[in-house]
Amino acid sequence: MTISLNGQWLLACVQRSAIQDLHIDLPGDVHSALYAAGEIPDPYWATNEKKVQWVGECDWIVSRHFELTAEQLTCNAMDLVLNQLDTVAEIRVNGHTVADFNNMFMRHKVDVLSCLQVGTNRIEIVLHRADLAAKNRADKLPFPLPWAEGNNQIPFMNTLRKPQFHSGWDWSICLSVLGVYGDIVLQPIEHVRISHLATKQKWHQQECELAVTLHYEVVSEKGLANASVTFDGQTFHLTLDREATKASVIFRIDNPRHWWPAGYGKQRLYKLALEADGVAITKQIGLRKLELVTEDDDHGQSMVVMVNDVPISVRGANWIPLDAMPARMTEQRYRSLLTDAAAANMNMLRVWGGGMYEKDIFYNICDELGLLVWQDLMFANALYPSTPDFIAEVEQEVEFQVRRLKDHPSLVLWCGDNEVLGAINRDPESRQHREKHLINYDRLNRTLAEVVEREDPSRRFWASSPCNGELDIIDTWHHDPHRGDMHCWDVWDSGKEFDAYLQVTPRFCSEFGFQSWPSLPTVKSCLPEQDWNISSPSFESHQKSTNGNSIITEMFTRYFRFPNGFVNMLYLSQVQQALAVKTAAEYWRTQKPTNRGMLFWQLNDCWPVSSWSSLEYSGRWKQLHYHARRFFAPQMATFTRDQQGLKLHLVNDGRKNTELKGEVVWQSWDGEILYREPIAQYLEADSTKVVWEWLNEDLDGHEQDGFFHVHLYSGQQLIENTWFPARPKYCELACPDLRFEVAEHNNEIVVMLSSSKPAFFVHLEFEGEGRFEDSSFTLVPEHQRQIKYIGSASYAEVVQGLRVYHLKQSY
């Protein structure tokens, strides 16, 4: 039986004798333990980031005692297993050094039986500082490799298999954390050491064959190991061959219940259970067909995710690690963030390559919710070694991770890296020696491909993101939008206006986005009130993008009247962010099937910060996330304007036909109805359709008279959208006389809103936890709204903590 070493350990600093015998909970990290003990201030508060850098510049020892009985030591081997050990560590058991490890992305195992004793045992983990280890590795390279300078504040982290964002990024605090973030166990082994359990699906019309293979290593010359495998009510019993390394069984499932991505069907999961030589393994298996189709067509080359022979319109975001302090990565927070992604009608998340291979709970919840996963391998925005030692280390890492994750039905593809080739053109050293660095890159990338193709031939290896396709890897800025996946940063990085999104139709856009500042409640959580100013040192320390505040502020002047005061600047930044991403997402959805995927940057934050996220560090929904819930909805309505005029597009991503009924209205800023027309349209499955037009000759010269609004229903589902013919700053918005009241009915808290004139980007912000059913919407006099609060706060707390914004009051 497995012996857990999770729980309370002792923490000591090698360089500081005053810090000894502090309590640290493992899984956990050193910074969290020091903060809990009062040894460091909150790293996320004000400018405290600078005050805690010394922690990563020290070596640390975590230790504990544990008891073993004679019976527990009668096994043939005792593996010490450590998950997510960060990163450069020496392991000692009863005074004996049993291993040195230096890769956080591995599950480390070492047989420690010979060092154990009956009674009290002591284990120590010496955590060495990462910066010196990285520097030592860099010094031994045959030629210099540019690191992620501009993102990383600690040099040479590209030489070390540690999350790159730990050293800072353009949205991340620099905390060179140390610790063990996964389970620590002793695994007694009697006859065989289990390596991994793998499945493979083979489809025959209405039948699926599931091959289940147990991989193992024999450790005893005596006795036999037995195994049992259960799936879908069927059980096989096996005797494991001492001369073999694997054993397989095949289950046949007639009329299998398919697993589908969110919005396309149910997420049906079967339980697979294995018991072998005292080890129990369970997995949730989703039976589904999967293919990434890249075929030449009239527009270039497609990039389509096919599930169960159905093309999926991918809608989602990029995922970064949910906290810079790993002890705070709780199951509840994983579930909350992923549930909120699904609630915004997302069906894919991309696990970005500068973070970490996520915990098992992440993929399990994605399976349950139908969130497809684009999985980057952990390489990002720097050049990496291709020395034999590094290649061997990475080969083991990728082999382990592919074996660990490949049975998840949500996993779609393996991607070699994020924007690594862009680093070649970015840095003078690599630009000068481009051929050498291209060969270096190819050496590593081919190794990644070979491991993935060997371990998981059921999925595509996608060489890089962005990438134009097979053997057509590109740097970050030279895209062919007609093929492969694209990173579209012309608006944020190049200063183009939002309409630039309308000039390109990517086949699949895996990154695009625009920053906003955090909400007032999040600012309150990390800054003192005297620093509530976008130019204060504290506020700027929570903005890691070099020109971020300038870009946000300058874009205000293009689209909006300048906001009056700090609070409205925060509000308007989130309006602007939502409008930018909305412009791209809605237009690209009208271009289906040319475009079949979009993942905006980024879903979440790892600390309270100004960023591209739609969910703040606390989990609070930004306005962007509310808009995403609408522009990613399976049925959507949106306006576009071209050389002929204004058009209303209806989009249906669903597998079933649907009918939409309602109206289009042209309305003045005072609320006068200038024109209205009923809409009743039948939409086929997986289709787009132009259902209404307004000629330019009828709109020219009247752009500032009012706005267009569509109000539709598909069954009980409300579908709305608003289009301004002129930029908001040119529009003479009326004071809407917006009124709101909080009420409680049938144990539900609702906010009732009404206005005498149109109000735009009406946003409900609550100081406490929870969210609203809808927010950041257009409120017109004839469609008053009742918005449900979703959360655990009381009626009195919602009344006390509610603030309602709208565009007119921002200036």
Side-chain angles (χ1 to χ4, degrees):
M1 180 178 293
T2 299
I3 302 162
S4 174
L5 297 183
N6 291 350
Q8 193 174 94
W9 292 51
L10 292 178
L11 173 68
C13 182
V14 174
Q15 286 82 5
R16 300 195 177 197
S17 58
I19 302 180
Q20 303 291 317
D21 295 332
L22 300 180
H23 288 158
I24 179 171
D25 289 324
L26 296 181
D29 66 89
V30 172
H31 285 78
S32 294
L34 293 174
Y35 176 55
E39 295 288 344
I40 61 171
D42 180 358
Y44 298 172
W45 178 259
T47 57
N48 284 349
E49 176 184 2
K50 298 175 182 178
K51 299 177 182 178
V52 300
Q53 290 306 306
W54 66 269
V55 178
E57 296 166 358
C58 292
D59 301 304
W60 299 86
I61 300 175
V62 292
S63 62
R64 64 162 291 173
H65 292 90
F66 59 95
E67 302 292 321
L68 292 175
T69 66
E71 183 181 2
Q72 288 173 315
L73 293 175
T74 58
C75 52
N76 289 305
M78 182 76 81
D79 282 354
L80 173 65
V81 185
L82 301 106
N83 293 276
Q84 294 189 320
L85 171 61
D86 187 9
T87 290
V88 183
E90 176 189 352
I91 314 298
R92 302 171 186 161
V93 177
N94 292 328
H96 302 280
T97 296
V98 296
D100 291 288
F101 297 125
N102 50 32
N103 187 327
M104 186 190 138
F105 305 135
M106 287 289 299
R107 174 182 293 139
H108 296 294
K109 290 184 181 181
V110 56
D111 183 3
V112 296
L113 182 61
S114 63
C115 300
L116 298 175
Q117 60 195 23
V118 175
T120 301
N121 293 262
R122 176 179 172 84
I123 181 172
E124 296 174 298
I125 304 175
V126 183
L127 299 166
H128 296 292
R129 51 189 293 187
D131 58 341
L132 293 185
K135 175 65 165 57
N136 290 337
R137 285 187 168 204
D139 289 343
K140 295 176 183 176
L141 292 176
F143 52 87
L145 286 177
W147 45 282
E149 199 167 355
N151 284 315
N152 285 173
Q153 297 175 38
I154 301 174
F156 313 120
M157 297 308 292
N158 52 332
T159 67
L160 197 61
R161 301 308 295 146
K162 175 179 173 65
Q164 300 295 279
F165 85 103
H166 283 176
S167 301
W169 213 261
D170 57 4
W171 38 259
S172 178
I173 187 173
C174 176
L175 284 185
S176 189
V177 289
L178 314 90
V180 187
Y181 315 139
D183 292 330
I184 308 168
V185 300
L186 288 169
Q187 178 65 60
I189 299 171
E190 199 63 43
H191 299 291
V192 296
R193 176 180 286 114
I194 305 301
S195 168
H196 63 288
L197 184 68
T199 68
K200 182 179 180 181
Q201 299 178 25
K202 187 175 182 180
W203 289 81
H204 308 278
Q205 296 180 341
Q206 298 305 310
E207 178 186 85
C208 179
E209 286 184 358
L210 184 75
V212 181
T213 302
L214 172 64
H215 296 259
Y216 61 90
E217 171 195 353
V218 175
V219 299
S220 172
E221 296 180 358
K222 298 179 180 179
L224 296 173
N226 296 315
S228 65
V229 188
T230 302
F231 184 81
D232 193 32
Q234 307 172 59
T235 300
F236 286 93
H237 297 281
L238 302 170
T239 299
L240 302 182
D241 187 344
R242 192 179 290 114
E243 303 301 320
T245 59
K246 62 184 178 180
S248 298
V249 297
I250 294 178
F251 295 91
R252 290 179 174 83
I253 305 97
D254 294 323
N255 299 310
R257 303 186 302 276
H258 288 78
W259 182 94
W260 287 96
Y264 286 85
K266 295 182 179 180
Q267 291 75 52
R268 298 181 176 96
L269 295 167
Y270 293 75
K271 182 179 178 180
L272 172 65
L274 166 82
E275 291 186 9
D277 200 27
V279 175
I281 299 174
T282 60
K283 294 188 176 190
Q284 297 283 6
I285 303 297
L287 299 179
R288 54 95 184 98
K289 302 176 188 177
L290 172 69
E291 187 179 7
L292 180 68
V293 178
T294 50
E295 296 178 340
D296 291 342
D297 58 22
D298 292 341
H299 301 282
Q301 189 178 84
S302 66
M303 186 171 180
V304 184
V305 175
M306 301 282 290
V307 177
N308 301 323
D309 302 320
V310 173
I312 305 300
S313 291
V314 169
R315 311 178 300 264
N318 285 258
W319 170 275
I320 64 168
L322 63 78
D323 210 297
M325 295 171 70
R328 301 182 181 185
M329 295 180 174
T330 64
E331 180 175 342
Q332 185 276 328
R333 290 185 64 201
Y334 273 107
R335 188 165 294 278
S336 178
L337 284 176
L338 293 172
T339 300
D340 285 346
N345 291 304
M346 297 184 186
N347 59 26
M348 179 183 276
L349 296 175
R350 173 182 173 228
V351 179
W352 169 76
M356 53 185 268
Y357 303 96
E358 272 300 341
K359 294 176 179 286
D360 290 342
I361 187 64
F362 172 88
Y363 303 96
N364 291 338
I365 296 173
C366 286
D367 293 343
E368 294 171 19
L369 297 176
L371 293 171
L372 300 169
V373 176
W374 169 312
Q375 179 66 55
D376 279 8
L377 304 182
M378 291 301 115
F379 304 90
N381 299 70
L383 300 179
Y384 291 83
S386 64
T387 59
D389 288 348
F390 191 83
I391 291 283
E393 180 181 4
V394 165
E395 188 169 2
Q396 279 189 315
E397 166 196 319
V398 176
E399 180 182 80
F400 163 69
Q401 294 292 349
V402 174
R403 289 175 177 179
R404 179 174 75 98
L405 300 176
K406 70 176 184 176
D407 289 327
H408 287 280
S410 56
L411 189 65
V412 170
L413 61 80
W414 302 98
C415 178
D417 64 65
N418 175 79
E419 297 184 359
V420 168
L421 273 186
I424 293 181
N425 288 336
R426 183 188 66 216
D427 294 284
E429 196 282 333
S430 51
R431 282 203 308 269
Q432 186 177 354
H433 304 285
R434 181 176 172 80
E435 291 77 10
K436 178 170 63 176
H437 286 280
L438 283 172
I439 293 170
N440 177 73
Y441 174 85
D442 181 67
R443 209 174 270 163
L444 176 60
N445 193 262
R446 283 180 182 271
T447 299
L448 304 180
E450 289 166 4
V451 176
V452 169
E453 289 159 6
R454 180 181 72 237
E455 296 296 330
D456 187 12
S458 69
R459 291 182 180 85
R460 285 280 293 276
F461 174 76
W462 195 250
S464 179
S465 184
C467 176
N468 282 340
E470 210 70 41
L471 297 178
D472 195 3
I473 306 170
I474 54 177
D475 73 33
T476 311
W477 299 109
H478 295 88
H479 300 92
D480 179 354
H482 305 296
R483 57 200 307 116
D485 77 304
M486 180 178 185
H487 292 188
C488 191
W489 286 110
D490 281 349
V491 173
W492 176 259
D493 280 330
S494 300
K496 294 186 178 180
E497 299 189 342
F498 299 162
D499 286 352
Y501 290 126
L502 311 181
Q503 309 307 314
V504 62
T505 302
R507 306 312 301 263
F508 195 113
C509 191
S510 49
E511 282 190 24
F512 67 104
F514 201 89
Q515 262 203 7
S516 74
W517 294 314
S519 65
L520 181 62
T522 293
V523 169
K524 289 181 178 180
S525 75
C526 63
L527 299 181
E529 187 169 358
Q530 64 265 26
D531 290 346
W532 292 3
N533 185 299
I534 66 165
S535 297
S536 73
S538 289
F539 195 88
E540 288 186 339
S541 74
H542 289 253
Q543 168 60 277
K544 297 300 184 180
S545 179
T546 305
N547 300 316
N549 288 349
S550 299
I551 294 172
I552 294 170
T553 306
E554 192 275 333
M555 195 64 79
F556 282 168
T557 65
R558 301 195 205 181
Y559 286 91
F560 302 99
R561 301 188 186 189
F562 208 77
N564 57 12
F566 177 73
V567 173
N568 279 324
M569 291 187 78
L570 302 181
Y571 159 77
L572 191 62
S573 78
Q574 295 201 7
V575 170
Q576 180 169 263
Q577 177 194 34
L579 183 59
V581 178
K582 174 181 186 290
T583 300
E586 290 186 353
Y587 175 69
W588 291 339
R589 287 191 68 188
T590 70
Q591 302 304 298
K592 182 174 69 175
T594 303
N595 176 277
R596 275 293 186 180
M598 60 197 74
L599 304 171
F600 67 72
W601 186 272
Q602 64 209 65
L603 178 72
N604 56 309
D605 286 327
C606 67
W607 73 307
V609 66
S610 304
S611 83
W612 298 263
S613 72
S614 64
L615 294 173
E616 296 181 358
Y617 173 68
S618 65
R620 178 173 283 103
W621 287 32
K622 288 184 179 179
Q623 294 186 59
L624 171 57
H625 208 74
Y626 286 105
H627 281 267
R629 185 171 175 269
R630 297 191 288 270
F631 64 62
F632 279 162
Q635 289 79 41
M636 181 202 69
T638 187
F639 295 95
T640 64
R641 188 178 184 182
D642 60 19
Q643 294 179 347
Q644 285 73 47
L646 182 64
K647 293 179 170 63
L648 175 64
H649 300 256
L650 301 184
V651 178
N652 179 19
D653 281 352
R655 292 168 56 211
K656 296 180 180 179
N657 302 336
T658 189
E659 189 173 15
L660 285 80
K661 293 182 178 180
E663 64 177 358
V664 174
V665 174
W666 184 22
Q667 195 166 0
S668 75
W669 309 115
D670 286 324
E672 178 187 355
I673 303 298
L674 305 176
Y675 166 89
R676 72 192 324 153
E677 182 174 327
I679 299 290
Q681 287 290 332
Y682 185 78
L683 272 185
E684 294 184 352
D686 192 31
S687 68
T688 64
K689 190 177 186 180
V690 175
V691 299
W692 174 90
E693 295 185 56
W694 188 268
L695 296 178
N696 277 334
E697 60 193 64
D698 297 322
L699 184 57
D700 289 342
H702 299 281
E703 287 88 352
Q704 298 176 33
D705 291 355
F707 64 98
F708 288 85
H709 187 74
V710 59
H711 188 97
L712 302 171
Y713 280 94
S714 174
Q716 297 298 312
Q717 179 191 354
L718 172 64
I719 300 169
E720 287 189 297
N721 214 334
T722 300
W723 189 77
F724 282 34
R727 296 187 179 192
K729 72 177 185 178
Y730 297 128
C731 303
E732 294 299 333
L733 305 185
C735 291
D737 187 25
L738 189 147
R739 299 172 296 280
F740 67 91
E741 179 183 354
V742 181
E744 192 168 17
H745 299 296
N746 299 323
N747 296 319
E748 285 189 347
I749 298 172
V750 297
V751 181
M752 300 182 293
L753 299 108
S754 62
S755 64
S756 60
K757 295 178 181 178
F760 304 97
F761 297 100
V762 177
H763 181 52
L764 288 69
E765 181 179 272
F766 174 52
E767 288 277 353
E769 68 85 29
R771 64 175 177 90
F772 294 93
E773 194 173 35
D774 198 7
S775 195
S776 196
F777 49 78
T778 297
L779 183 67
V780 294
E782 61 182 319
H783 293 298
Q784 307 303 280
R785 301 289 298 272
Q786 288 191 17
I787 305 298
K788 184 170 72 173
Y789 161 75
I790 300 171
S792 60
S794 68
Y795 166 81
E797 288 170 334
V798 174
V799 171
Q800 179 68 28
L802 178 65
R803 180 192 293 257
V804 179
Y805 301 82
H806 60 85
L807 187 59
K808 174 65 177 176
Q809 57 82 49
S810 70
Y811 56 87

